[in-house]
Amino acid sequence: MMEGTYVVNFGTQPAGKVQVRREGLYYHFTCRCQLSGEVVCRLSVQCGGKRENLGVVVPMDGGFGLDTKVPVKRLGTGTPEFALMPKHELGGGTFVPIYPEEPFAYIARLKESFLARQGEQMGLVLPE
């Protein structure tokens, strides 16, 4: 069972806490952390060999935070590890440019990818 309160790290330093509660078929994540605000950061969780991006932390309660729900089946079992990463350093992905006039070959992978920009080119980052 994943329920509990966990430390979230930014690099090697503790930056805040994440509370996890099970609500039916979902885990509810409540993150509160202290960051400089100079870099946009994403919260991720790794559990049972699976990594899930939980979203961008936003200004909240005098610091930064995130409240979100994720289906239980998307996460592995075991003790979760939470990390804050600069939005541009998600790593482990392939950038695929999007051209409005061309069909998009990766439409089936939209749910697991995220929108990104490389220079002036918009595209998707597909996890490996």
Side-chain angles (χ1 to χ4, degrees):
M1 195 67 153
M2 188 185 293
E3 290 184 290
T5 301
Y6 302 92
V7 172
V8 60
N9 291 316
F10 184 62
T12 58
Q13 300 298 315
K17 298 210 178 281
V18 178
Q19 181 182 12
V20 183
R21 292 187 323 270
R22 182 153 182 175
E23 297 176 356
L25 297 175
Y26 292 85
Y27 283 123
H28 181 247
F29 297 93
T30 303
C31 174
R32 296 295 180 269
C33 54
Q34 295 298 316
L35 298 168
S36 68
E38 295 174 13
V39 177
V40 176
C41 290
R42 289 185 176 270
L43 176 66
S44 70
V45 59
Q46 184 165 343
C47 190
K50 292 185 177 182
R51 179 177 294 278
E52 184 73 23
N53 172 25
L54 299 176
V56 174
V57 293
V58 296
M60 184 181 291
D61 298 335
F64 287 82
L66 172 73
D67 293 321
T68 190
K69 292 182 181 180
V70 173
V72 170
K73 67 181 181 179
R74 286 212 335 229
L75 298 172
T77 57
T79 303
E81 293 180 21
F82 294 92
L84 291 161
M85 293 181 280
K87 188 176 175 182
H88 64 278
E89 287 184 18
L90 288 174
T94 303
F95 181 80
V96 178
I98 298 173
Y99 301 103
E101 65 280 356
E102 295 179 17
F104 190 67
Y106 299 95
I107 198 87
R109 297 190 60 192
L110 279 178
K111 281 188 174 183
E112 62 191 62
S113 61
F114 62 91
L115 190 63
R117 179 187 303 264
Q118 283 188 353
E120 292 297 312
Q121 179 64 56
M122 291 300 294
L124 289 179
V125 176
L126 305 171
E128 295 179 4

